[in-house]
Amino acid sequence: MRNFLIYGIILIAIILSIGAIFRPEAGSREVSLSAVIEQAKAGNVQSIQVEEDILLIKLNGSNEVVRSRKESASSVEEILRDNAIPVGTATNAVEVIVKGPSGFGSFFGLIINFLPLLIFGGILLFMMKQAQGTNSQAMSFGKSKARMQSGEKPTVKFDDVAGQDEAKIELEEVVDFLKHPQKFIAIGAKIPRGVLLIGSPGTGKTLLAKAVSGEAEVPFFSISGSEFVEMFVGVGASRVRDLFDQAKRNAPAIVFVDEIDAVGRQRGAGLGGSHDEREQTLNQILVEMDGFDSNSNLIVIAATNRPDVLDPALLRPGRFDRQVTLDLPDLTGRKAVLDVHAKGKPFNKEVSLETVAKQTPGFSGADLANLLNEAAILTARKAKKKISMDELNESVDRLIAGPEKKSRVMTQEEKKVVAYHEAGHAIVGHFQEEADPVFKVTIVPRGMAGGYTRSLPKDDRRLHDKAYYKAMMAQALGGYVSEEVFFGIPTTGAHDDISKVTQIAKEMVTKWGMSDKLGTRTFGRRESMVFLGRDIAEQRDYSEKTAEEIDEEIRILVDEAKLQCESVIAEHKDKLELLAETLIEVETIEAEALENLLNSAPDEIKAKNNHVQEENEDDDIKELDAANNQEEGPGNIKLNPSGPTIE
């Protein structure tokens, strides 16, 4: 709009300039009407050309043309005759030539007359546009901000969604209804009006909704729940009405509301009571879904990761009839997800995506996509043409523990403590049948950790018993006990391990009924505020005596885990020492090398320990000699234990 105003002003200026150039009086000398009459009386005027109020006078014996002006009501001929000046074509007469107004002149005069009004209107329009932009398009508050995607050229199909086979089966009926509605109507079946996708962040809820639209080849209206609500009352409800009006005009269609918990939280829990803007928006959504025609080919798909805070009215039959849960993918699902996101990326022949899938339990689809992207970035950073297992393993470590802290400098003593700490975790985890196998142990600093030990489950188990959790607690205390055994006193590096052990013991006693003394019941009830969407307190539904018993049971479980850990370390102390010294040397040991190292015969382990100690002593001597050589100063002074000697 600003450019349009500028161009308009320039155009008007050009028109004015052209008009000024081509006006009849342009470039001529102007004289008074009385002077013209005097010249006519003297016989010096040959002709007078009249154009409205402008007079162009041609003088005798000269090519000069002068101009003058008359009053609008007066006539030139009458003025001349009143002054006894003959008019006509005779020898001593003055010829009067009358011309009508030109079209250009009229147009130009019109522009001149209306020019102030045009300029004022342009300025006013410009100011209104500026004010409208400043107020975020105030004139279109009630319009929906939904983004429409045409179904003619679908970009996402079910083949592009991996690891959610059960969810895809549930949604195939929706696709079939959108494609062949008469098949269902003829038998009296009603397709679900709404489908609620429930799952953790990154499980593919939005992608699956787009795949439904792509398979059905229908328009897809996408909007976030937060986009309904503004600071102005009634805007959210108006946007809901506009969204559904657009969808009905383009039916069959899909309306997708992402993060519906932003407006769909339980009513009556907001700070504004039952009449705040968010609840009005929710009420309008409920009304629109109830108002669907029974034969309407319009389906609402919503996504959330907080189904516990949604209003019950949303979940009743007739609104969101069907709820589809998207779980984190299992091993097979993770492999399928990796295959989908691996398209278009070059890999070396030795790359095994199945191995990567085994290393990533608990990863969502978004995590796996990010993993492959990080591997591609690392490959490009190294100026390599293909992605190898080194980049994939590094990406897994980055996502789990963070990037390497190459700038962090550890002293030899600190490095030794970290090595024995992580070796303690690895040894206790390796020699317990109930614990998960140790996959990798490293003392390379990553994120907030000085090192870490990573275990992988044998399979994707979802149910665990008491023995498993006791083994986990013992493994978590492995670093603490190892520091205590080899250095006499533990360091602060075990604070996170102790916190995890305490939390596991608490859950075992208060939630999972794994306490023989307290029995099979839960203790404590969490209170949450729906409006905030988070737990704010835990209500104690037990006595002070029971609280003491809970504390005692937690202490007993932690003490038992520590005793179990101490027993394993005492039995395999030599292997722990070998592993720690090896870590100091190589920094990282993975599953196969760890297995070979810990399964060695006792004599081999003893020989390896002696060899490692000898190498460390040799390294210490070399470092001392190098330090002495560097301390040579001017005058050939060398430092030795007995003091400086001058050669």
Side-chain angles (χ1 to χ4, degrees):
M1 182 62 199
R2 182 181 299 176
N3 294 336
F4 176 78
L5 183 61
I6 294 173
Y7 294 151
I9 294 173
I10 294 173
L11 180 62
I12 292 173
I14 293 173
I15 293 174
L16 291 176
S17 301
I18 295 174
I21 293 173
F22 290 97
R23 290 180 66 180
E25 68 271 22
S28 58
R29 179 169 57 89
E30 186 171 353
V31 298
S32 64
L33 183 60
S34 60
V36 174
I37 293 173
E38 291 295 329
Q39 290 291 332
K41 288 180 179 181
N44 296 327
V45 177
Q46 179 180 347
S47 64
I48 298 176
Q49 181 176 318
V50 183
E51 186 173 336
E52 295 184 344
D53 298 336
I54 301 171
L55 305 178
L56 298 179
I57 300 97
K58 187 177 182 182
L59 302 176
N60 289 322
S62 175
N63 293 326
E64 183 185 5
V65 178
V66 297
R67 71 179 183 274
S68 184
R69 294 181 182 272
K70 68 177 183 65
E71 296 180 359
S72 300
S74 60
S75 172
V76 176
E77 294 181 355
E78 292 179 355
I79 295 173
L80 294 177
R81 289 192 180 100
D82 290 343
N83 288 277
I85 301 172
V87 178
T89 57
T91 304
N92 294 323
V94 177
E95 183 181 4
V96 178
I97 305 170
V98 180
K99 286 189 174 183
S102 63
F104 180 82
S106 300
F107 176 72
F108 180 75
L110 188 65
I111 290 180
I112 294 296
N113 293 332
F114 285 94
L115 182 61
L117 184 61
L118 291 174
I119 294 176
F120 178 76
I123 295 173
L124 183 62
L125 184 61
F126 175 74
M127 293 176 64
M128 290 179 61
K129 281 292 188 182
Q130 288 294 106
Q132 186 178 2
T134 305
N135 291 285
S136 303
Q137 299 180 351
M139 303 302 293
S140 61
F141 274 144
K143 298 294 183 181
S144 171
K145 295 184 178 181
R147 294 161 295 278
M148 176 182 174
Q149 300 178 14
S150 175
E152 297 178 356
K153 296 181 179 179
T155 57
V156 181
K157 294 291 194 76
F158 277 154
D159 293 339
D160 300 317
V161 182
Q164 302 293 345
D165 295 337
E166 292 81 5
K168 288 194 290 186
I169 293 173
E170 289 288 326
L171 293 172
E172 284 178 356
E173 293 180 3
V174 176
V175 174
D176 194 20
F177 171 78
L178 291 171
K179 284 186 173 181
H180 313 288
Q182 296 300 325
K183 182 174 67 174
F184 294 86
I185 296 173
I187 203 171
K190 296 182 179 178
I191 200 69
R193 295 186 177 183
V195 179
L196 183 63
L197 304 179
I198 303 171
S200 303
T203 51
K205 299 184 294 294
T206 304
L207 187 65
L208 192 57
K210 290 182 179 179
V212 173
S213 172
E215 291 288 342
E217 299 181 354
V218 297
F220 182 80
F221 294 85
S222 175
I223 192 172
S224 174
S226 60
E227 295 183 69
F228 286 115
V229 183
E230 296 279 358
M231 64 180 290
F232 300 99
V233 177
V235 172
S238 177
R239 288 179 176 176
V240 171
R241 288 192 295 270
D242 184 67
L243 170 62
F244 280 89
D245 287 341
Q246 292 183 45
K248 290 174 183 177
R249 289 194 298 268
N250 293 273
I254 293 174
V255 176
F256 176 65
V257 183
D258 199 8
E259 305 296 342
I260 194 174
D261 51 275
V263 293
R265 295 179 184 271
Q266 184 174 337
R267 288 170 291 181
L271 300 178
S274 60
H275 297 288
D276 65 354
E277 173 65 8
R278 180 187 58 80
E279 294 190 4
Q280 291 187 32
T281 305
L282 173 59
N283 291 336
Q284 189 63 43
I285 293 175
L286 298 177
V287 170
E288 292 291 341
M289 294 188 71
D290 280 340
F292 282 2
D293 186 12
S294 59
N295 297 327
S296 175
N297 295 345
L298 185 63
I299 293 178
V300 181
I301 301 178
T304 182
N305 57 351
R306 291 298 309 273
D308 55 307
V309 302
L310 295 180
D311 194 280
L314 272 175
L315 306 179
R316 75 160 178 80
R319 287 167 181 158
F320 287 103
D321 310 79
R322 182 168 298 185
Q323 300 181 21
V324 180
T325 301
L326 281 71
D327 296 321
L328 294 174
D330 56 8
L331 177 60
T332 304
R334 292 195 300 273
K335 174 62 168 57
V337 172
L338 289 171
D339 289 335
V340 170
H341 293 288
K343 295 177 181 178
K345 294 181 175 64
F347 293 92
N348 284 340
K349 294 181 179 180
E350 72 274 7
V351 168
S352 173
L353 294 180
E354 186 173 358
T355 303
V356 178
K358 292 179 180 178
Q359 298 182 35
T360 51
F363 276 44
S364 65
D367 293 331
L368 296 171
N370 188 34
L371 186 153
L372 292 182
N373 186 61
E374 285 289 337
I377 293 174
L378 289 173
T379 304
R381 188 183 301 169
K382 297 177 182 179
K384 297 170 65 176
K385 300 297 184 182
K386 293 184 178 181
I387 303 172
S388 66
M389 284 299 298
D390 292 337
E391 285 77 39
L392 290 170
N393 292 332
E394 173 65 18
S395 298
V396 174
D397 291 336
R398 288 173 66 92
L399 294 180
I400 293 177
E404 288 187 10
K405 298 291 185 179
K406 297 181 179 180
S407 60
R408 184 183 299 177
V409 179
M410 292 193 299
T411 63
Q412 283 297 117
E413 185 63 26
E414 188 178 16
K415 189 175 182 180
K416 187 175 182 180
V417 171
V418 173
Y420 275 84
H421 182 101
E422 299 302 330
H425 287 308
I427 290 295
V428 178
H430 181 79
F431 290 102
Q432 290 188 110
E433 290 291 334
E434 297 84 2
D436 293 327
V438 179
F439 177 77
K440 185 176 186 178
V441 57
T442 180
I443 60 172
V444 177
R446 287 183 178 273
M448 300 297 295
Y452 76 98
T453 301
R454 178 151 62 96
S455 300
L456 295 181
K458 300 175 184 177
D459 48 32
D460 289 340
R461 291 180 294 175
R462 297 183 181 272
L463 301 176
H464 302 284
D465 55 14
K466 185 177 181 179
Y468 174 80
Y469 286 110
K470 292 181 72 174
M472 281 185 61
M473 293 167 63
Q475 184 180 4
L477 290 173
Y480 178 90
V481 174
S482 178
E483 292 181 16
E484 196 175 44
V485 170
F486 288 94
F487 303 102
I489 185 171
T491 65
T492 57
H495 72 280
D496 188 54
D497 300 327
I498 296 174
S499 177
K500 290 179 180 177
V501 169
T502 305
Q503 186 63 30
I504 292 174
K506 184 180 179 180
E507 299 286 326
M508 291 173 66
V509 174
T510 61
K511 281 188 174 183
W512 302 330
M514 295 182 178
S515 171
D516 296 333
K517 184 177 181 180
L518 296 175
T520 53
R521 63 158 291 188
T522 61
F523 300 90
R525 184 172 65 250
R526 294 184 181 273
E527 293 183 350
S528 62
M529 184 171 289
V530 177
F531 183 72
L532 298 176
R534 61 179 297 181
D535 298 328
I536 60 173
E538 184 176 0
Q539 182 180 356
R540 296 177 63 173
D541 55 356
Y542 47 87
S543 64
E544 288 295 332
K545 182 180 179 181
T546 304
E548 294 179 358
E549 293 177 349
I550 291 174
D551 291 339
E552 181 64 19
E553 284 294 289
I554 292 174
R555 187 191 64 79
I556 291 174
L557 287 174
V558 174
D559 289 345
E560 289 177 354
K562 187 181 178 185
L563 289 174
Q564 186 174 342
C565 176
E566 291 173 345
S567 174
V568 175
I569 288 178
E571 183 179 354
H572 304 283
K573 185 177 179 181
D574 54 344
K575 296 183 179 180
L576 192 154
E577 188 174 3
L578 174 61
L579 177 59
E581 296 296 334
T582 306
L583 281 172
I584 295 174
E585 183 179 354
V586 300
E587 294 187 338
T588 300
I589 299 177
E590 296 188 356
E592 186 177 354
L594 180 66
E595 190 76 20
N596 295 332
L597 186 68
L598 298 182
N599 290 338
S600 302
D603 294 338
E604 293 180 3
I605 293 175
K606 186 176 180 179
K608 289 179 180 178
N609 279 328
N610 294 332
H611 179 68
V612 170
Q613 291 177 359
E614 291 175 358
E615 286 186 345
N616 291 337
E617 291 175 358
D618 293 339
D619 292 338
D620 293 339
I621 295 173
K622 291 179 181 178
E623 290 179 1
L624 181 61
D625 291 339
N628 290 335
N629 293 331
Q630 290 176 356
E631 292 173 349
E632 293 184 6
N636 294 326
I637 299 178
K638 294 183 178 180
L639 300 180
N640 57 40
S642 62
T645 303
I646 301 177
E647 296 182 348

